Amino acid sequence: MLALVLAALRARRAQALTLVLLSTLAAAAAAAAPWYVLASTERIATRHVQSAAIQERALETIGEGPVEGGSVEAHLAARAEQSQRIVGMSGGFVTYTEAFLPGQASTGSGQSAGGAAGARSTDSQLALRTDACDHATFEGGCPSGPDEVAVSYRTARWLRVKAGDTMTYAASGLPHPLQLKVVGVYRPDDPAAPYWSSNEDLVAKALPTSAAPEITEPVDDALLAAPALFDKGLPAGISLRTIVDMVAQPRLLVDNAPEEVRDRIAAATVDARNNRLTLNTQLQATIDKVQRDRRLVSLGVPVGAFQLLVLCWFALYLAVKYTGEERRPDIGLVKLRGATRARTWALVGGQSALPMLAGALLGLPIGYVAATAVTGVIHDADVNAQAAGLSVGAVALAVLGALLAALLAERRALGSSVSELLRQASARSRVWRDLFDLLLVALAVVAVYQVKHRASGDAAGLALLAPGLAALAFALVAARVITFTAARMVEDALRHGRPARALTAIYLARRPGVHRLAALMIATVALLCTSALTWSDGRGEGQTRAQLEVGADRVLSVRAENRLALLNAVRAADPLGQHAMAAVESTRSGSDRILLVDSPRLAKVAKWRPEYGLSAARTADLLHPAAPEPVTVTGGDLAVELTNHYSVVDPGRVVFLDVVLADAKGARIAARLGPLAEGRQVLKAQIPACAAAPGCRLSSLQIVQSTLEQKIFFAARPGVDLVVYGITAGGRPALSQQMLSDRTRWRLGVNGNPPNLIVVPDAGGLRLTVAPIRTGGASDAGVYPLDTPAPLASVRATRMQPRLVGDQRVSYGSVSISERIAGTARYLPRLGDRGVLLDLEYADRLGADFGAGESLQVWLNDGAPPGIVRALQAQGVIILGEESIAGTADKYASFGPPLTLQFMLLSAIVGLALAIGAASVVAAVERRPRARELGALRTQGASARMIGRVSVEGYLVLAVSSLVLGLILAALIRAYIGDVLPYFADGWSAP
């Protein structure tokens, strides 16, 4: 029997090879689905954990009490081990430990920050962070002794301490303040890294409450101490707070099911409480996202695979059906010679089964290679084994379905009589096939109805199958339209003397199975177009979202001393302004987000979107109107000619004039002139940082006073009347009498603090009179050159917070200034539909606080040269991280819905290949009978030209009609059903 089957396959090699190909595609699709699903779950978990905010992937346990027995390091190690045991899931977290003592660090004699007593202080934690010396850069050394600490560069700048200085630390429970030696000033290597960001007590995020005006940045960073300080420098029995920070790694949700992790954390919260620990985490938010995306992939990919298998079985049914027509005489002869029913079935079924089994053996490894090429390999051995088992089972199901389809296709021939088989005339289609088509159409209507009336976000039931069912069902209807139309064309073609057209129409109308082949081709074209459009639209939306959220092709997160230092560094690295732009992001203005940009470079660098409403050039014009040039002071020595008069004599104070300058690197330089005597005088100061070009920008003139000890300086009290006649630098005039006496060139502060000076022009210069004391809060002691428009021009997104009329202000750095809304936009880069866009240069000048912001950035366009990063680093800018439009778009493409849509697109491509294969089988099977038919026509006098036309026109018309109807059907599905599965699971849509 096997020899007969093999002989039959050799006789019909083309049909057999086509069956092998079709079976290989079916088996490959079935084998790929489990690998794709399980590899995608790993990819989803990895991407969600990597992209989650630190609060949504960190877990901390907090304990409080004295360290009893052993060292503090041993205590922290025991706490870490205890926390890991409570949480479980070993290997899923990276653990950091810390012990700290809340208190107040101070310098000077008092305890008040910015008060008259002369002390400066911060609410810094005295912290032992394990391995801190490996995660920071130190000026000086890392603490090791029982009285040594390291201070952050921001805290050191405010407290005015350096390595070798001393400070005091007071805390509840200490019998007296600790005297500590500063052995180093540290800078975190990357403040956004999990080591520093997983604990809010290490790097301060906000300004201190009721901060002094001099504080322009968060200063309450932790004081890093050595274990020796906690073991020997603190009194025995003092209560310490210990924290174990556990940062989730991707393998946590790769090796464990999300629901298992959720249950374990819930149980760990209770266990921690039983062990006198507090467990805090927002990890559940990340677990929810992973679980949601895994559910979508686990539902959508099998649906896509099943949809493809149905097409495979349909294509195989048609292929076997057509090859069966050619085998009808062979079956008749076998029956005529007395073969048993079983042998007949074995002979016929074997001609389909052997190619299908060969296709299964080929398809299994092909499916694995294809799936891993798209989603990557599975790293977990157990999951690998699970995927392998499911893949074999899926291939077995695919082959079983294919065999059943083959037997169904052969059933009529096997049940026919010998006379019917030898007659070589196909039997008419039976009613049950029409009923099946009708049932399929009804099922498609139900599926489409469910999609149109589903709840938002629902992807269950027949919803995901709706496009495939609609395509296949309505393709059957469209195919019958083709055969019906062809039948109506026969009489008309003969009447008008067009025999070639009539013969083509007869072929399409009366050839058995033509309408099913047309249905397969229409359905696959429709599914391919629908899937391709959905995938393309989704990728476009992902690119749009990435452009809106990132703002430029690449955005570098950087560290610089302040806003001006960043601005000057970027301009120096890219002097022509073609590729780089400085930007500062802030969130201090209520719930509004603030973005300060170097406006003249906005159009060149930013990835500007039409959704913004305003063009980039128009936005830049609104943000950066013309303004007077800043006053530049170039020279190593400064001289000020002035007259001073004390209308109120106070022997307990000394008064100075501060000339505040900004050097090229953004550093604040205060040339303190005085003490001011009565009468006319010339005061001098050295300013070596301004000696060389481009010099320093004049920021303000301030009248300040101090006590006789001169430990603290603050805005002068009333009774001082000053006239400035001229300022020279390096022997050359920096401020002439003409400019000084022009009141329109000077302004008072706009940062919300009441001005401390009355400014009026004088015949010989600028008169500054200390204003009467105002109650409540600090006052602004400065007068500022008018080198920027005021109020500050802004562009706001149209969705803004309600404001009181006349009280429109924005806050950034440490200032809050008046705002003039110059324009509105529907959307703004990085800010969305709620935010404020400001000019960085003008905002920095107007704020005059020499501050920075929550996020310093450098935007780069796609033409930025490779050396731009090195050029920035050469200007002192430290690169902390990078995000890009391409990387953000790829991140969104790695989540659940896009992975599902990607599989559906790949399935549609395979489906089209199946349709082409089925058409090839039809052409191969019909070759000989069609040749006989056309030869008979040629014998009867038909021309060779007409015969040649008829031989190809039927296939051509069928292919073109199927293509056109498939495109129309795809357009209808897209118009009515739309996207069954949205590209973004969080519901985001383009503005």
Side-chain angles (χ1 to χ4, degrees):
M1 181 59 65
L2 180 59
L4 287 175
V5 172
L6 293 175
L9 291 175
R10 281 195 298 270
R12 300 181 178 90
R13 293 185 183 88
Q15 295 94 319
L17 289 175
T18 306
L19 283 179
V20 171
L21 177 61
L22 295 177
S23 302
T24 301
L25 290 175
W35 290 104
Y36 191 96
V37 169
L38 295 176
S40 295
T41 58
E42 281 196 4
R43 189 174 173 186
I44 287 167
T46 300
R47 184 66 80 174
H48 271 300
V49 173
Q50 289 175 341
S51 61
I54 187 64
Q55 296 84 358
E56 295 183 356
R57 58 187 173 108
L59 178 151
E60 68 173 7
T61 60
I62 304 173
E64 193 158 358
V67 176
E68 300 175 351
S71 66
V72 67
E73 279 189 303
H75 184 73
L76 287 176
R79 284 289 194 197
E81 183 180 352
Q82 181 185 31
S83 298
Q84 292 166 353
R85 186 174 62 254
I86 289 173
V87 174
M89 297 175 289
S90 61
F93 295 91
V94 172
T95 302
Y96 309 109
T97 57
E98 177 187 357
F100 69 89
L101 180 67
Q104 188 178 65
S106 60
T107 59
S109 58
Q111 302 296 325
S112 171
R120 286 193 172 189
S121 65
T122 62
D123 293 329
S124 299
Q125 313 284 357
L126 186 61
L128 167 61
R129 183 70 162 177
T130 308
D131 299 327
C133 296
D134 298 330
H135 293 83
T137 302
F138 288 80
E139 296 178 12
C142 188
S144 59
D147 61 346
E148 295 178 351
V149 292
V151 183
S152 83
Y153 72 102
R154 302 189 301 184
T155 304
R157 187 154 51 200
W158 166 242
L159 294 179
R160 295 180 295 196
V161 296
K162 60 184 181 304
D165 292 343
T166 59
M167 60 191 306
T168 60
Y169 192 81
S172 176
L174 290 177
H176 52 78
L178 301 175
Q179 298 299 315
L180 303 175
K181 180 182 179 181
V182 178
V183 296
V185 176
Y186 72 90
R187 285 179 178 268
D189 291 337
D190 183 1
Y195 180 89
W196 296 102
S197 61
S198 61
N199 192 310
E200 296 183 352
D201 297 314
L202 294 172
V203 179
K205 302 297 190 300
L207 297 177
T209 304
S210 302
E214 296 92 337
I215 296 180
T216 63
E217 59 188 345
V219 295
D220 295 332
D221 298 333
L223 306 183
L224 298 181
L229 189 151
F230 284 80
D231 291 335
K232 302 175 183 178
L234 298 179
I238 189 170
S239 178
L240 297 177
R241 180 170 293 181
T242 58
I243 292 180
V244 177
D245 293 310
M246 302 176 66
V247 180
Q249 302 301 293
R251 62 174 298 184
L252 173 69
L253 294 171
V254 170
D255 297 345
N256 305 280
E259 54 273 14
E260 293 176 359
V261 178
R262 187 194 308 279
D263 294 342
R264 182 61 255 171
I265 290 176
T269 303
V270 178
D271 292 344
R273 194 179 304 119
N274 293 336
N275 286 273
R276 295 185 296 178
L277 297 175
T278 301
L279 189 150
N280 298 320
T281 185
Q282 298 179 32
L283 188 59
Q284 290 88 345
T286 302
I287 294 173
D288 289 342
K289 295 174 184 176
V290 172
Q291 196 169 19
R292 175 199 63 202
D293 276 14
R294 282 187 171 181
R295 186 167 54 247
L296 287 174
V297 171
S298 298
L299 176 64
V301 171
V303 165
F306 176 73
Q307 181 174 279
L308 178 57
L309 281 179
V310 171
L311 290 176
C312 289
W313 295 335
F314 191 15
L316 286 167
Y317 171 83
L318 289 178
V320 174
K321 183 71 175 175
Y322 270 89
T323 55
E325 294 296 327
E326 195 175 28
R327 287 195 297 268
R328 288 174 64 87
D330 296 344
I331 299 173
L333 291 175
V334 169
K335 285 189 173 184
L336 185 62
R337 291 171 182 173
T340 63
R341 185 179 182 88
R343 290 177 64 84
T344 305
W345 275 84
L347 176 62
V348 175
Q351 296 180 53
S352 298
L354 287 182
M356 290 177 182
L357 291 174
L361 294 176
L362 292 174
L364 187 60
I366 292 174
Y368 167 76
V369 171
T372 53
V374 174
T375 60
V377 299
I378 299 173
H379 299 91
D380 186 86
D382 293 337
V383 179
N384 250 315
Q386 180 186 4
L390 290 174
S391 183
V392 171
V395 170
L397 176 64
V399 172
L400 179 61
L403 288 174
L404 290 175
L407 292 176
L408 181 64
E410 299 280 16
R411 185 185 61 84
R412 176 181 294 180
L414 291 170
S416 300
S417 65
V418 173
S419 60
E420 289 177 337
L421 292 170
L422 296 177
R423 189 176 56 183
Q424 292 200 28
S426 300
R428 294 183 179 181
S429 176
R430 296 187 179 179
V431 176
W432 70 266
R433 290 188 177 86
D434 297 330
L435 292 177
F436 177 78
D437 293 352
L438 183 61
L439 178 63
L440 196 58
V441 171
L443 189 62
V445 170
V446 172
V448 171
Y449 177 84
Q450 180 175 342
V451 170
K452 292 297 292 184
H453 296 82
R454 72 185 187 276
S456 177
D458 177 35
L462 293 174
L464 287 174
L465 279 173
L469 285 171
L472 188 57
F474 292 104
L476 288 171
V477 176
R480 289 185 179 275
V481 171
I482 292 177
T483 56
F484 179 81
T485 304
R488 294 296 178 271
M489 289 175 60
V490 174
E491 183 179 351
D492 183 72
L494 291 175
R495 185 183 304 116
H496 290 84
R498 296 172 179 171
R501 179 178 297 181
L503 289 171
T504 299
I506 290 172
Y507 169 78
L508 294 174
R510 298 184 181 180
R511 200 72 176 184
V514 165
H515 76 283
R516 297 200 178 277
L517 178 60
L520 177 62
M521 297 172 67
I522 292 170
T524 53
V525 169
L527 282 178
L528 178 60
C529 292
T530 303
S531 301
L533 287 173
T534 303
W535 173 247
S536 177
D537 289 350
R539 292 286 289 184
E541 289 181 3
Q543 191 74 9
T544 298
R545 183 173 184 177
Q547 291 177 0
L548 294 172
E549 292 181 351
V550 177
D553 285 279
R554 296 163 60 198
V555 174
L556 307 179
S557 299
V558 302
R559 188 170 70 205
E561 288 298 323
N562 49 43
R563 296 187 297 265
L564 181 57
L566 174 67
L567 183 67
N568 289 339
V570 175
R571 288 180 174 179
D574 180 27
L576 298 180
Q578 298 296 309
H579 306 296
M581 179 185 73
V584 177
E585 198 169 344
S586 177
T587 56
R588 286 199 57 229
S589 191
S591 60
D592 287 336
R593 294 169 62 192
I594 313 296
L595 182 63
L596 298 91
V597 296
D598 191 0
S599 301
R601 300 176 176 227
L602 189 64
K604 292 282 187 180
V605 178
K607 184 67 71 173
W608 207 256
R609 297 281 311 174
E611 290 87 350
Y612 300 151
L614 296 172
S615 67
R618 176 58 178 162
T619 302
D621 291 341
L622 293 174
L623 295 177
H624 198 86
E629 290 295 320
V631 177
T632 302
V633 176
T634 305
D637 56 80
L638 186 72
V640 179
E641 184 180 0
L642 57 85
T643 295
N644 178 48
H645 172 64
Y646 290 108
S647 58
V648 176
V649 178
D650 183 355
R653 71 174 177 176
V654 289
V655 180
F656 296 83
L657 174 66
D658 280 358
V659 181
V660 181
L661 306 163
D663 71 6
K665 294 185 177 180
R668 184 180 189 271
I669 300 172
R672 182 153 288 162
L673 305 174
L676 299 180
E678 184 76 24
R680 194 171 184 116
Q681 54 207 286
V682 176
L683 302 176
K684 297 182 178 181
Q686 297 298 312
I687 49 172
C690 307
C696 299
R697 175 175 60 84
L698 176 64
S699 177
S700 65
L701 302 176
Q702 300 183 359
I703 301 178
V704 298
Q705 76 175 53
S706 177
T707 59
L708 296 177
E709 294 82 7
Q710 297 186 26
K711 290 183 176 180
I712 189 73
F713 294 85
F714 47 92
R717 300 292 187 259
V720 183
D721 192 2
L722 194 69
V723 179
V724 180
Y725 298 110
I727 300 178
T728 61
R732 295 181 298 275
L735 274 174
S736 64
Q737 286 189 354
Q738 181 180 1
M739 180 179 175
L740 285 166
S741 60
D742 185 356
R743 181 63 179 83
T744 62
R745 297 297 305 274
W746 299 92
R747 66 172 177 84
L748 296 174
V750 294
N751 63 2
N753 293 327
N756 191 53
L757 299 177
I758 299 173
V759 182
V760 295
D762 190 89
L766 183 68
R767 181 178 294 275
L768 307 176
T769 303
V770 178
I773 296 177
R774 290 177 170 85
T775 59
S779 56
D780 189 332
V783 58
Y784 304 84
L786 188 60
D787 54 6
T788 181
L792 188 62
S794 71
V795 172
R796 274 188 171 266
T798 50
R799 183 184 173 196
M800 65 178 71
Q801 285 186 303
R803 303 269 181 160
L804 296 175
V805 175
D807 189 34
Q808 192 74 29
R809 305 183 75 83
V810 289
S811 300
Y812 54 89
S814 62
V815 298
S816 175
I817 64 173
S818 299
E819 169 197 7
R820 177 180 63 85
I821 301 177
T824 57
R826 294 193 298 271
Y827 220 77
L828 288 173
R830 294 187 74 88
L831 304 179
D833 60 358
R834 174 176 291 176
V836 188
L837 200 61
L838 304 172
D839 182 79
L840 174 57
E841 183 177 23
Y842 286 170
D844 184 67
R845 290 185 196 172
L846 201 59
D849 66 338
F850 293 86
E854 288 87 330
S855 175
L856 302 184
Q857 303 163 2
V858 178
W859 291 20
L860 303 174
N861 60 21
D862 55 359
I868 190 71
V869 173
R870 290 193 300 272
L872 290 167
Q873 292 171 330
Q875 296 297 323
V877 175
I878 299 173
I879 310 299
L880 300 178
E882 178 180 335
E883 59 181 324
S884 65
I885 290 175
T888 303
D890 288 343
K891 176 188 74 174
Y892 287 126
S894 299
F895 293 150
L899 291 174
T900 303
L901 294 175
Q902 179 179 259
F903 186 86
M904 289 184 170
L905 175 59
L906 296 174
S907 300
I909 294 173
V910 175
L912 183 63
L914 288 169
I916 295 173
S920 301
V921 171
V922 171
V925 169
E926 288 187 338
R927 182 168 53 85
R928 278 183 285 186
R930 286 285 286 170
R932 287 195 299 268
E933 292 173 359
L934 296 174
L937 288 174
R938 185 80 175 95
T939 302
Q940 295 174 17
S943 66
R945 181 179 179 182
M946 188 185 77
I947 295 300
R949 175 182 172 183
V950 171
S951 65
V952 299
E953 192 173 57
Y955 300 119
L956 184 62
V957 170
L958 183 63
V960 172
S961 300
S962 299
L963 177 62
V964 172
L965 290 172
L967 293 175
I968 294 173
L969 181 56
L972 293 174
I973 291 174
R974 288 285 294 166
Y976 188 74
I977 298 179
D979 294 330
V980 175
L981 191 64
Y983 192 80
F984 298 106
D986 60 3
W988 185 92
S989 59

